[in-house]
Amino acid sequence: MAKISIKSEKITPFGGIFHVMEHFPRFVGPVIDKVLGLRCTSFGYQYSEISSSFILN
């Protein structure tokens, strides 16, 4: 007999984008910052944060 797990999370019309964006800063973000380099601290945002905003838009 198969086990059934009950999820308390609500199903949203956005599908898995929230799950992807939870893992983006941990896995893809450091690679982007390593390849492109770090920006000056006076700008306020790193390249990985800018690319994640492009993905969400």
Side-chain angles (χ1 to χ4, degrees):
M1 183 181 248
K3 291 185 177 182
I4 299 173
S5 62
I6 298 173
K7 300 268 184 176
S8 62
E9 300 175 21
K10 293 178 74 176
I11 298 174
T12 64
F14 297 109
I17 191 68
F18 294 124
H19 180 69
V20 169
M21 292 313 293
E22 286 176 2
H23 295 291
F24 185 84
R26 282 188 270 160
F27 299 112
V28 181
V31 174
I32 291 173
D33 288 334
K34 184 178 179 181
V35 171
L36 295 177
L38 295 176
R39 294 183 69 190
C40 179
T41 56
S42 63
F43 290 126
Y45 297 103
Q46 298 300 326
Y47 289 116
S48 59
E49 296 167 330
I50 295 169
S51 61
S52 67
S53 70
F54 282 139
I55 290 170
L56 286 175
N57 285 326

